[in-house]
Amino acid sequence: MTKINDISMVTAFAPASIGNVGVGFDILGLALAGVGDRVTARLTNTAGVRVSDVYDLDGKNHPYLSKETDHNTASIAVKALWEAHGNSTGVELSIRKGIPLQSGMGSSAASAVAATVAANVLLPKPLAREQLLPFALEGEKYASGELHADNVAPSLMGGLVLCPIVLLPKMMQLRTPTDVSSVLVHPELQIDTARARRSLAKRYTMKKWLSQQGYLAGFITGCATDDYELIRSSFHDVIIEPQRSVAIECFDIVKEAAIKADAFGVSISGSGPSIFALCMSVNASNVAIAMEQACRTFGLECQSWISAMTAPGAYVEGD
Amino acid sequence: MTKINDISMVTAFAPASIGNVGVGFDILGLALAGVGDRVTARLTNTAGVRVSDVYDLDGKNHPYLSKETDHNTASIAVKALWEAHGNSTGVELSIRKGIPLQSGMGSSAASAVAATVAANVLLPKPLAREQLLPFALEGEKYASGELHADNVAPSLMGGLVLCPIVLLPKMMQLRTPTDVSSVLVHPELQIDTARARRSLAKRYTMKKWLSQQGYLAGFITGCATDDYELIRSSFHDVIIEPQRSVAIECFDIVKEAAIKADAFGVSISGSGPSIFALCMSVNASNVAIAMEQACRTFGLECQSWISAMTAPGAYVEGD
């Protein structure tokens, strides 16, 4: 692949994503549809990577995110990419956040992915999509303090992606049913990802570990074979969810409402507070309404998104 | 399915199997080819289940195995089957062991499976194959003191079978490459399964648990997609193997020899002492020779078997 030399400005969109995906703590991520971040990358004559703007959902300057190169996941990722494969020109990034911060929807990952995908087009020799993972991960590492790819990988590739830390930079797009969707509800609560992670127990009994890995293997197999009942019977996170759900006040009633509406299973997206369900696509609207109502009955405002499990990954606008 | 009334005697063969399959402690089993137990079941006029004979590999009376109904995995399994679905006639079992005891090759499971599969044909209304699992498991439970299906399930169904305890009696035959084989070497050592199990640590760090489940998910995905390099990079048991291999003196050098002969990975079958490798089928003879030589160089006699990953499960002779 060679660079098309007359391109000096590119915009890419990268979707939000569900991290952990219940039984797949740190190793399974799922792309969402219709919600994500947009980043425009522009070649400049001044060497180095800069952030010119960070806009919020309403197009205003973002009140929290930094424009300093070393303190923004997008510019950290592009800096790593440019140092490895760039040239003497510089890159300027304009970021438009579409994903709420600290929502458990992979906000920091999406910015890093969108920026990396956009900047890649401006490289002298653009890389293949999957080769971008290590660079986007650099940004994520800054945001969460840990190396896990379960938001970056699905945002980059789309669909359900398996990305065990021990196998990185290898990641695997998993086969999923085409008629199953995720329903994600984001209640208006904020959770600190790094803190949520630190509060997890460090050791687990063999019994718990065997149960969880059994469910994980069952879930992957159920997705690969369109075995809906196996997906349903496997979608139980017995390790992380019980520890994290206590911090999300509405979790139990939202989960109950979704299950009652015939969702296959419900868990926490990332470290929360977003809650997601998996269900047949034809039933997704009902599940979304049930979850939203439960949330509002609890006194919390919320937003929700429905996405096919096969939701696409990042793309370059205009391609 | 209805019983063919003139059948009063049936013989079934059930293969040996690899339990645990490295990364799949307690939940992944793999059928072997060409080695197994044969059981003949015969209707009698006296109610109840009896064992008439237990023969060893040479056709002599087995020196260790009991003929008491409640102390033999075959009769325990058939008794459970007959109590649930049988009639007033009795069943007599003649067992011919082809699998060495305490070898880590699923000897007790194979007898239970062969007996169950044979007796099933004699039922007024024979059950479908997968419905036999709970009955064969009753025998295995007696032998190992624990409920795990990673020998019974592959012996019954063939191939690579996923059978998490939390999903039983559901089990899933996994897709595997058709050109990958197992090489199993049984060194002349004996390990006590129940004792081997008791000596395992009861708690594991999150880091270990995340590594192991990452490898497990990678291995299943590698098998499902014929991704040989993924199978190779995923086949690392970081939890059980380090604890159990110390009891198998030749383990390290046999493993090293197999890897040097380009095996994808090597681990312990069940709780040992058998050691198995996975490799391309065209390379299986080389791997077997390398493992045997390493074993003998160490001063241990051994036997070995090569089996396609798609090795068949139990079958009724004459069918």
Side-chain angles (χ1 to χ4, degrees):
Chain A
M1 202 148 81
T2 53
K3 182 178 168 285
I4 301 153
N5 283 308
D6 56 357
I7 292 179
S8 65
M9 193 166 91
V10 176
T11 297
F13 173 89
S17 57
I18 294 169
N20 297 331
V21 193
V23 291
F25 181 64
D26 258 13
I27 73 171
L28 270 186
L30 181 63
L32 294 170
V35 53
D37 290 352
R38 289 176 80 237
V39 175
T40 300
R42 191 171 68 84
L43 285 180
T44 64
N45 294 322
T46 322
V49 177
R50 274 168 307 281
V51 178
S52 61
D53 309 281
V54 186
Y55 298 116
D56 67 10
L57 288 159
D58 305 316
K60 295 177 188 157
N61 286 321
H62 200 285
Y64 303 118
L65 290 176
S66 172
K67 290 201 276 185
E68 285 179 52
T69 302
D70 294 335
H71 295 277
N72 185 300
T73 65
S75 42
I76 291 170
V78 172
K79 194 178 166 191
L81 177 70
W82 216 256
E83 281 173 3
H85 299 282
N87 55 20
S88 60
T89 59
V91 184
E92 199 172 70
L93 304 172
S94 173
I95 302 165
R96 193 183 176 101
K97 296 293 298 178
I99 309 173
L101 297 191
Q102 298 189 339
S103 58
M105 296 168 66
S107 174
S108 55
S111 291
V113 169
T116 309
V117 168
N120 181 50
V121 181
L122 303 176
L123 283 179
K125 288 187 179 179
L127 305 178
R129 178 62 62 99
E130 58 273 18
Q131 293 178 290
L132 299 178
L133 183 74
F135 306 106
L137 271 179
E138 286 296 316
E140 178 71 345
K141 200 173 155 187
Y142 169 76
S144 73
E146 300 254 356
L147 189 72
H148 52 85
D150 55 331
N151 286 115
V152 166
S155 182
L156 188 64
M157 306 303 293
L160 182 66
V161 183
L162 175 67
C163 48
I165 295 159
V166 286
L167 297 175
L168 291 177
K170 175 105 177 171
M171 58 183 160
M172 290 121 304
Q173 262 188 309
L174 299 181
R175 197 198 162 283
T176 54
T178 53
D179 51 5
V180 172
S181 288
S182 69
V183 176
L184 182 134
V185 173
H186 173 222
E188 284 196 355
L189 282 170
Q190 281 204 349
I191 303 274
D192 181 322
T193 307
R195 194 174 153 200
R197 196 177 178 90
R198 282 195 303 273
S199 67
L200 292 174
K202 295 283 177 292
R203 297 176 79 84
Y204 298 88
T205 63
M206 181 182 284
K207 198 181 163 189
K208 284 255 190 233
W209 163 63
L210 287 178
S211 298
Q212 186 87 351
Q213 71 164 11
Y215 287 134
L216 168 67
F219 176 67
I220 290 175
T221 305
C223 285
T225 58
D226 290 351
D227 185 336
Y228 308 116
E229 285 317 305
L230 182 55
I231 293 173
R232 191 189 292 275
S233 56
S234 298
F235 204 72
H236 300 292
D237 171 3
V238 297
I239 289 190
I240 307 300
E241 184 184 307
Q243 299 183 70
R244 284 190 167 163
S245 60
V246 290
I248 306 165
E249 305 152 23
C250 59
F251 181 78
D252 290 344
I253 76 155
V254 171
K255 178 168 181 167
E256 195 187 326
I259 297 291
K260 214 169 162 181
D262 208 27
F264 295 147
V266 178
S267 196
I268 301 164
S269 179
S271 54
S274 291
I275 302 167
F276 75 100
L278 294 177
C279 61
M280 295 304 296
S281 299
V282 292
N283 188 37
S285 294
N286 291 336
V287 170
I289 291 166
M291 292 172 79
E292 285 173 0
Q293 278 182 347
C295 214
R296 295 197 175 111
T297 303
F298 198 84
L300 287 169
E301 259 316 302
C302 61
Q303 263 193 294
S304 75
W305 290 271
I306 295 173
S307 315
M309 281 193 88
T310 54
Y315 57 88
V316 173
E317 293 189 0
D319 257 15
Chain B
M1 202 149 80
T2 54
K3 181 179 168 286
I4 301 151
N5 282 306
D6 57 357
I7 293 180
S8 64
M9 193 166 91
V10 176
T11 297
F13 174 90
S17 56
I18 293 169
N20 297 332
V21 192
V23 291
F25 181 64
D26 258 14
I27 73 170
L28 271 186
L30 181 63
L32 293 171
V35 53
D37 290 352
R38 290 175 80 237
V39 175
T40 300
R42 192 171 68 81
L43 285 180
T44 65
N45 294 321
T46 322
V49 177
R50 274 168 307 281
V51 178
S52 61
D53 310 281
V54 186
Y55 298 117
D56 68 11
L57 288 159
D58 305 316
K60 296 177 188 158
N61 286 321
H62 201 286
Y64 302 117
L65 291 176
S66 172
K67 290 201 279 185
E68 285 179 52
T69 302
D70 295 334
H71 295 278
N72 185 300
T73 64
S75 43
I76 290 169
V78 172
K79 194 177 165 191
L81 178 69
W82 215 256
E83 281 173 3
H85 299 282
N87 55 20
S88 59
T89 58
V91 184
E92 199 172 70
L93 303 172
S94 174
I95 302 164
R96 193 183 178 100
K97 295 293 299 178
I99 308 173
L101 298 190
Q102 297 189 338
S103 57
M105 295 167 67
S107 174
S108 56
S111 292
V113 168
T116 308
V117 168
N120 182 49
V121 181
L122 303 175
L123 283 179
K125 288 188 180 177
L127 305 177
R129 178 60 63 98
E130 58 272 20
Q131 292 178 291
L132 298 178
L133 183 73
F135 306 106
L137 271 180
E138 286 295 316
E140 178 71 345
K141 199 172 156 187
Y142 169 77
S144 73
E146 299 254 357
L147 189 72
H148 52 86
D150 54 332
N151 286 115
V152 166
S155 182
L156 187 64
M157 306 304 293
L160 182 66
V161 183
L162 174 67
C163 49
I165 296 159
V166 287
L167 297 176
L168 290 177
K170 175 105 178 172
M171 58 183 160
M172 290 123 296
Q173 264 188 307
L174 299 182
R175 196 197 164 283
T176 54
T178 53
D179 51 5
V180 173
S181 289
S182 69
V183 176
L184 182 134
V185 173
H186 173 222
E188 284 196 354
L189 282 170
Q190 281 204 346
I191 303 274
D192 182 321
T193 307
R195 195 176 152 200
R197 197 179 177 87
R198 282 195 303 273
S199 68
L200 292 174
K202 294 284 177 290
R203 297 175 80 85
Y204 298 88
T205 62
M206 181 182 283
K207 197 181 164 190
K208 284 254 189 234
W209 161 64
L210 287 178
S211 298
Q212 186 87 350
Q213 73 164 9
Y215 287 134
L216 168 67
F219 176 68
I220 290 175
T221 305
C223 285
T225 57
D226 291 350
D227 186 336
Y228 308 116
E229 285 317 304
L230 181 54
I231 293 173
R232 190 189 292 273
S233 56
S234 299
F235 204 71
H236 300 292
D237 172 3
V238 296
I239 289 190
I240 306 298
E241 185 184 306
Q243 298 183 70
R244 284 190 167 162
S245 60
V246 290
I248 306 165
E249 304 151 25
C250 59
F251 182 78
D252 290 344
I253 75 154
V254 172
K255 178 168 181 168
E256 195 188 326
I259 297 291
K260 213 168 162 181
D262 208 28
F264 294 147
V266 177
S267 196
I268 301 164
S269 179
S271 54
S274 291
I275 301 166
F276 76 100
L278 294 177
C279 61
M280 294 305 294
S281 298
V282 291
N283 188 35
S285 294
N286 291 337
V287 171
I289 291 167
M291 292 172 79
E292 284 172 0
Q293 278 181 346
C295 213
R296 294 198 176 110
T297 303
F298 199 83
L300 287 168
E301 259 317 301
C302 61
Q303 262 193 293
S304 75
W305 291 271
I306 295 172
S307 315
M309 281 193 88
T310 53
Y315 57 87
V316 174
E317 292 190 0
D319 258 17

PDB file of all heavy atoms in Angstrom, chain A residues 76-97:
ATOM      1  N   ILE A  76      -1.272  10.709  21.932  1.00  0.00           N
ATOM      2  CA  ILE A  76      -0.267   9.723  22.382  1.00  0.00           C
ATOM      3  C   ILE A  76      -0.173   8.577  21.372  1.00  0.00           C
ATOM      4  O   ILE A  76       0.914   8.142  20.998  1.00  0.00           O
ATOM      5  CB  ILE A  76      -0.622   9.192  23.787  1.00  0.00           C
ATOM      6  CG1 ILE A  76      -0.433  10.305  24.825  1.00  0.00           C
ATOM      7  CG2 ILE A  76       0.212   7.962  24.146  1.00  0.00           C
ATOM      8  CD1 ILE A  76      -0.986   9.970  26.203  1.00  0.00           C
ATOM      9  N   ALA A  77      -1.339   8.126  20.906  1.00  0.00           N
ATOM     10  CA  ALA A  77      -1.362   7.029  19.933  1.00  0.00           C
ATOM     11  C   ALA A  77      -0.713   7.441  18.616  1.00  0.00           C
ATOM     12  O   ALA A  77       0.119   6.722  18.046  1.00  0.00           O
ATOM     13  CB  ALA A  77      -2.803   6.575  19.706  1.00  0.00           C
ATOM     14  N   VAL A  78      -1.071   8.625  18.127  1.00  0.00           N
ATOM     15  CA  VAL A  78      -0.537   9.085  16.838  1.00  0.00           C
ATOM     16  C   VAL A  78       0.963   9.368  16.956  1.00  0.00           C
ATOM     17  O   VAL A  78       1.734   9.085  16.021  1.00  0.00           O
ATOM     18  CB  VAL A  78      -1.307  10.332  16.338  1.00  0.00           C
ATOM     19  CG1 VAL A  78      -0.622  10.925  15.104  1.00  0.00           C
ATOM     20  CG2 VAL A  78      -2.751   9.953  16.002  1.00  0.00           C
ATOM     21  N   LYS A  79       1.381   9.873  18.114  1.00  0.00           N
ATOM     22  CA  LYS A  79       2.810  10.120  18.313  1.00  0.00           C
ATOM     23  C   LYS A  79       3.596   8.806  18.189  1.00  0.00           C
ATOM     24  O   LYS A  79       4.642   8.741  17.537  1.00  0.00           O
ATOM     25  CB  LYS A  79       3.018  10.744  19.700  1.00  0.00           C
ATOM     26  CG  LYS A  79       4.385  11.347  19.916  1.00  0.00           C
ATOM     27  CD  LYS A  79       4.471  11.991  21.291  1.00  0.00           C
ATOM     28  CE  LYS A  79       5.920  12.290  21.651  1.00  0.00           C
ATOM     29  NZ  LYS A  79       6.056  12.671  23.065  1.00  0.00           N
ATOM     30  N   ALA A  80       3.063   7.757  18.797  1.00  0.00           N
ATOM     31  CA  ALA A  80       3.733   6.446  18.721  1.00  0.00           C
ATOM     32  C   ALA A  80       3.774   5.948  17.275  1.00  0.00           C
ATOM     33  O   ALA A  80       4.792   5.432  16.805  1.00  0.00           O
ATOM     34  CB  ALA A  80       3.004   5.434  19.610  1.00  0.00           C
ATOM     35  N   LEU A  81       2.664   6.137  16.568  1.00  0.00           N
ATOM     36  CA  LEU A  81       2.601   5.714  15.166  1.00  0.00           C
ATOM     37  C   LEU A  81       3.582   6.512  14.318  1.00  0.00           C
ATOM     38  O   LEU A  81       4.321   5.942  13.491  1.00  0.00           O
ATOM     39  CB  LEU A  81       1.172   5.914  14.637  1.00  0.00           C
ATOM     40  CG  LEU A  81       0.933   5.593  13.159  1.00  0.00           C
ATOM     41  CD1 LEU A  81       1.029   4.084  12.913  1.00  0.00           C
ATOM     42  CD2 LEU A  81      -0.441   6.104  12.693  1.00  0.00           C
ATOM     43  N   TRP A  82       3.596   7.793  14.547  1.00  0.00           N
ATOM     44  CA  TRP A  82       4.431   8.677  13.713  1.00  0.00           C
ATOM     45  C   TRP A  82       5.920   8.442  13.975  1.00  0.00           C
ATOM     46  O   TRP A  82       6.728   8.454  13.054  1.00  0.00           O
ATOM     47  CB  TRP A  82       4.047  10.147  13.963  1.00  0.00           C
ATOM     48  CG  TRP A  82       4.135  10.955  12.707  1.00  0.00           C
ATOM     49  CD1 TRP A  82       5.116  11.838  12.376  1.00  0.00           C
ATOM     50  CD2 TRP A  82       3.236  10.893  11.602  1.00  0.00           C
ATOM     51  NE1 TRP A  82       4.891  12.348  11.138  1.00  0.00           N
ATOM     52  CE2 TRP A  82       3.733  11.792  10.627  1.00  0.00           C
ATOM     53  CE3 TRP A  82       2.063  10.185  11.319  1.00  0.00           C
ATOM     54  CZ2 TRP A  82       3.097  11.984   9.405  1.00  0.00           C
ATOM     55  CZ3 TRP A  82       1.435  10.382  10.117  1.00  0.00           C
ATOM     56  CH2 TRP A  82       1.946  11.271   9.168  1.00  0.00           C
ATOM     57  N   GLU A  83       6.247   8.217  15.227  1.00  0.00           N
ATOM     58  CA  GLU A  83       7.650   7.949  15.554  1.00  0.00           C
ATOM     59  C   GLU A  83       8.138   6.653  14.900  1.00  0.00           C
ATOM     60  O   GLU A  83       9.300   6.537  14.522  1.00  0.00           O
ATOM     61  CB  GLU A  83       7.842   7.894  17.077  1.00  0.00           C
ATOM     62  CG  GLU A  83       7.902   9.294  17.690  1.00  0.00           C
ATOM     63  CD  GLU A  83       7.912   9.318  19.205  1.00  0.00           C
ATOM     64  OE1 GLU A  83       7.926   8.220  19.814  1.00  0.00           O
ATOM     65  OE2 GLU A  83       7.913  10.424  19.774  1.00  0.00           O
ATOM     66  N   ALA A  84       7.235   5.688  14.746  1.00  0.00           N
ATOM     67  CA  ALA A  84       7.633   4.406  14.157  1.00  0.00           C
ATOM     68  C   ALA A  84       7.595   4.424  12.634  1.00  0.00           C
ATOM     69  O   ALA A  84       8.427   3.795  11.987  1.00  0.00           O
ATOM     70  CB  ALA A  84       6.727   3.288  14.687  1.00  0.00           C
ATOM     71  N   HIS A  85       6.634   5.139  12.059  1.00  0.00           N
ATOM     72  CA  HIS A  85       6.424   5.025  10.607  1.00  0.00           C
ATOM     73  C   HIS A  85       6.250   6.349   9.881  1.00  0.00           C
ATOM     74  O   HIS A  85       5.991   6.348   8.673  1.00  0.00           O
ATOM     75  CB  HIS A  85       5.200   4.136  10.327  1.00  0.00           C
ATOM     76  CG  HIS A  85       5.336   2.750  10.835  1.00  0.00           C
ATOM     77  ND1 HIS A  85       6.076   1.791  10.195  1.00  0.00           N
ATOM     78  CD2 HIS A  85       4.866   2.156  11.961  1.00  0.00           C
ATOM     79  CE1 HIS A  85       6.036   0.656  10.881  1.00  0.00           C
ATOM     80  NE2 HIS A  85       5.315   0.847  11.964  1.00  0.00           N
ATOM     81  N   GLY A  86       6.354   7.469  10.588  1.00  0.00           N
ATOM     82  CA  GLY A  86       6.063   8.755   9.957  1.00  0.00           C
ATOM     83  C   GLY A  86       7.273   9.361   9.259  1.00  0.00           C
ATOM     84  O   GLY A  86       8.315   8.730   9.105  1.00  0.00           O
ATOM     85  N   ASN A  87       7.117  10.613   8.886  1.00  0.00           N
ATOM     86  CA  ASN A  87       8.241  11.322   8.271  1.00  0.00           C
ATOM     87  C   ASN A  87       8.443  12.651   9.007  1.00  0.00           C
ATOM     88  O   ASN A  87       7.965  12.818  10.134  1.00  0.00           O
ATOM     89  CB  ASN A  87       7.984  11.516   6.778  1.00  0.00           C
ATOM     90  CG  ASN A  87       6.663  12.212   6.518  1.00  0.00           C
ATOM     91  OD1 ASN A  87       6.120  12.870   7.401  1.00  0.00           O
ATOM     92  ND2 ASN A  87       6.140  12.052   5.317  1.00  0.00           N
ATOM     93  N   SER A  88       9.112  13.579   8.375  1.00  0.00           N
ATOM     94  CA  SER A  88       9.491  14.811   9.076  1.00  0.00           C
ATOM     95  C   SER A  88       8.342  15.815   9.194  1.00  0.00           C
ATOM     96  O   SER A  88       8.456  16.819   9.899  1.00  0.00           O
ATOM     97  CB  SER A  88      10.681  15.457   8.358  1.00  0.00           C
ATOM     98  OG  SER A  88      10.285  15.751   7.025  1.00  0.00           O
ATOM     99  N   THR A  89       7.243  15.564   8.498  1.00  0.00           N
ATOM    100  CA  THR A  89       6.106  16.485   8.647  1.00  0.00           C
ATOM    101  C   THR A  89       5.461  16.273  10.017  1.00  0.00           C
ATOM    102  O   THR A  89       5.733  15.299  10.696  1.00  0.00           O
ATOM    103  CB  THR A  89       5.039  16.246   7.559  1.00  0.00           C
ATOM    104  OG1 THR A  89       4.598  14.894   7.665  1.00  0.00           O
ATOM    105  CG2 THR A  89       5.607  16.478   6.166  1.00  0.00           C
ATOM    106  N   GLY A  90       4.592  17.187  10.379  1.00  0.00           N
ATOM    107  CA  GLY A  90       3.877  17.057  11.637  1.00  0.00           C
ATOM    108  C   GLY A  90       2.422  16.684  11.402  1.00  0.00           C
ATOM    109  O   GLY A  90       1.957  16.626  10.256  1.00  0.00           O
ATOM    110  N   VAL A  91       1.725  16.387  12.480  1.00  0.00           N
ATOM    111  CA  VAL A  91       0.309  16.025  12.393  1.00  0.00           C
ATOM    112  C   VAL A  91      -0.464  16.831  13.434  1.00  0.00           C
ATOM    113  O   VAL A  91      -0.038  16.923  14.592  1.00  0.00           O
ATOM    114  CB  VAL A  91       0.078  14.527  12.667  1.00  0.00           C
ATOM    115  CG1 VAL A  91      -1.400  14.173  12.463  1.00  0.00           C
ATOM    116  CG2 VAL A  91       0.952  13.650  11.799  1.00  0.00           C
ATOM    117  N   GLU A  92      -1.591  17.386  13.015  1.00  0.00           N
ATOM    118  CA  GLU A  92      -2.449  18.113  13.941  1.00  0.00           C
ATOM    119  C   GLU A  92      -3.790  17.393  14.016  1.00  0.00           C
ATOM    120  O   GLU A  92      -4.340  17.003  12.984  1.00  0.00           O
ATOM    121  CB  GLU A  92      -2.643  19.545  13.417  1.00  0.00           C
ATOM    122  CG  GLU A  92      -3.121  20.501  14.467  1.00  0.00           C
ATOM    123  CD  GLU A  92      -3.096  21.919  13.917  1.00  0.00           C
ATOM    124  OE1 GLU A  92      -3.914  22.224  13.037  1.00  0.00           O
ATOM    125  OE2 GLU A  92      -2.219  22.701  14.354  1.00  0.00           O
ATOM    126  N   LEU A  93      -4.289  17.220  15.214  1.00  0.00           N
ATOM    127  CA  LEU A  93      -5.522  16.456  15.401  1.00  0.00           C
ATOM    128  C   LEU A  93      -6.641  17.347  15.913  1.00  0.00           C
ATOM    129  O   LEU A  93      -6.435  18.132  16.846  1.00  0.00           O
ATOM    130  CB  LEU A  93      -5.302  15.325  16.418  1.00  0.00           C
ATOM    131  CG  LEU A  93      -4.176  14.336  16.110  1.00  0.00           C
ATOM    132  CD1 LEU A  93      -3.960  13.406  17.315  1.00  0.00           C
ATOM    133  CD2 LEU A  93      -4.480  13.534  14.848  1.00  0.00           C
ATOM    134  N   SER A  94      -7.809  17.184  15.329  1.00  0.00           N
ATOM    135  CA  SER A  94      -9.008  17.837  15.842  1.00  0.00           C
ATOM    136  C   SER A  94      -9.977  16.727  16.242  1.00  0.00           C
ATOM    137  O   SER A  94     -10.342  15.879  15.420  1.00  0.00           O
ATOM    138  CB  SER A  94      -9.615  18.739  14.764  1.00  0.00           C
ATOM    139  OG  SER A  94     -10.851  19.243  15.217  1.00  0.00           O
ATOM    140  N   ILE A  95     -10.355  16.733  17.506  1.00  0.00           N
ATOM    141  CA  ILE A  95     -11.122  15.615  18.067  1.00  0.00           C
ATOM    142  C   ILE A  95     -12.537  16.067  18.380  1.00  0.00           C
ATOM    143  O   ILE A  95     -12.736  17.126  18.980  1.00  0.00           O
ATOM    144  CB  ILE A  95     -10.435  15.130  19.377  1.00  0.00           C
ATOM    145  CG1 ILE A  95      -8.980  14.723  19.087  1.00  0.00           C
ATOM    146  CG2 ILE A  95     -11.216  13.983  20.007  1.00  0.00           C
ATOM    147  CD1 ILE A  95      -8.124  14.590  20.339  1.00  0.00           C
ATOM    148  N   ARG A  96     -13.487  15.274  17.975  1.00  0.00           N
ATOM    149  CA  ARG A  96     -14.884  15.570  18.346  1.00  0.00           C
ATOM    150  C   ARG A  96     -15.414  14.351  19.090  1.00  0.00           C
ATOM    151  O   ARG A  96     -15.657  13.299  18.502  1.00  0.00           O
ATOM    152  CB  ARG A  96     -15.702  15.848  17.091  1.00  0.00           C
ATOM    153  CG  ARG A  96     -17.046  16.466  17.384  1.00  0.00           C
ATOM    154  CD  ARG A  96     -17.841  16.644  16.101  1.00  0.00           C
ATOM    155  NE  ARG A  96     -19.164  17.151  16.393  1.00  0.00           N
ATOM    156  CZ  ARG A  96     -19.529  18.419  16.247  1.00  0.00           C
ATOM    157  NH1 ARG A  96     -18.677  19.319  15.801  1.00  0.00           N
ATOM    158  NH2 ARG A  96     -20.765  18.795  16.539  1.00  0.00           N
ATOM    159  N   LYS A  97     -15.575  14.500  20.402  1.00  0.00           N
ATOM    160  CA  LYS A  97     -16.025  13.392  21.243  1.00  0.00           C
ATOM    161  C   LYS A  97     -17.517  13.146  21.055  1.00  0.00           C
ATOM    162  O   LYS A  97     -18.330  14.066  21.175  1.00  0.00           O
ATOM    163  CB  LYS A  97     -15.796  13.724  22.725  1.00  0.00           C
ATOM    164  CG  LYS A  97     -14.353  13.893  23.149  1.00  0.00           C
ATOM    165  CD  LYS A  97     -13.569  12.604  23.069  1.00  0.00           C
ATOM    166  CE  LYS A  97     -14.103  11.521  23.990  1.00  0.00           C
ATOM    167  NZ  LYS A  97     -13.316  10.268  23.812  1.00  0.00           N
TER     168      LYS A  97
END
